[in-house]
Structures are given as C-alpha cells and as structure tokens.
Amino acid sequence: MTPSILVLNGPNLNLLGTREPDIYGSGTLAELVDGLKAAYIGRAEIVEFQSNIEGELVGAIHEASGTHDGIVLNAGAYTHTSIALRDAIAGVSVPVVEIHISNVYQREAFRHGTMLAGVCLGQILGFGRVSYSLAVEALLRHIKE
Ligand code: DQA
C-alpha cells in the first residue's frame, strides 16, 4: 500500500511567499504542497496540515497515530520552545522527521535549540524547500526497512 505522509507545518508557515522571502523563498505553502504531491504520485500520499495553534499541532500528531505512516514536521518557532510537541511525538509510535527551510544554526542563538530533535527519527535543515522532499525520502526509506 502507498504510505501516507503527513506534512505538518506550524506557526507562520502559512505566510510562505510573503514572509522574509530572502530566508524562506517566494513560493507559497500551497505551491510547496502541490509540488510535493505531484512529485510523489504513486510513491506516497501527501497530506498537509498547517496551524498557528500549538494545541492543534499536538492534536494532529495524536491523530496521525494509526492514520499516517510518518510525519514531516516543520514546527516553526515551536521547535525551540514546545515541550508539549515533544511529549506528543514521544507519545505516539509514528516516525517524525524535524525539518527547517533555513539553516537555523546560522541564525540567531535562540534558534539553535530544539525541543523536538531528541524524540524524532532525524532532522533535516538548511536546504530550503528541498528539506521537505529530503524528509519524505528519509521516511519512505525508513518505512521500507
Ligand atoms: C523555521 C525556522 C524557525 O526558527 C522559524 O521560527 C520558522 C521557520 C524554518 O523552516 O527555517 O518559523 O522552522
């Protein structure tokens, strides 16, 4: 069966396209998701959800259990602060890849910490929007193993 991958985006990622385009690029989130869906036809079902609300992201992680085979998670700023998201990831058996568009380690010190990486399968960052497809590839390989 075709694996189902949840691409979960946190706060401010709905602003892709207009938000700091020098860092995040000029394409929209819808374009990014459409591109992923098209690239993985037949290999993965890509389902996307974005929320600016921490609790909704926690809920999406809970619901992914038994529904999706993996999660690509760009938790935005919650990456650096959210024990609730960390606990949600630790509490389900779905593999999660933490991703970032930018290389957070080249940016402000407050972006260098991650609450999430320690409970994720792995972390991919700094490859612009390609970070998303690299994470899908990593999950598909992991699922096959
Ligand atoms: C981000 C990096 C975070 O530090 C920031 O708060 C974001 C986007 C990225 O994709 O590069 O919202 O996760």
Side-chain angles (χ1 to χ4, degrees), residues 64-111:
S65 196
T67 311
H68 300 290
D69 300 294
I71 304 176
V72 173
L73 175 61
N74 187 348
Y78 287 144
T79 306
H80 316 299
T81 61
S82 180
I83 298 170
L85 280 180
R86 181 192 175 94
D87 286 350
I89 296 165
V92 297
S93 54
V94 189
V96 179
V97 176
E98 176 191 324
I99 73 141
H100 302 284
I101 294 169
S102 63
N103 182 340
V104 290
Y105 300 109
Q106 292 174 347
R107 300 181 64 194
E108 303 95 326
F110 62 80
R111 295 185 204 277

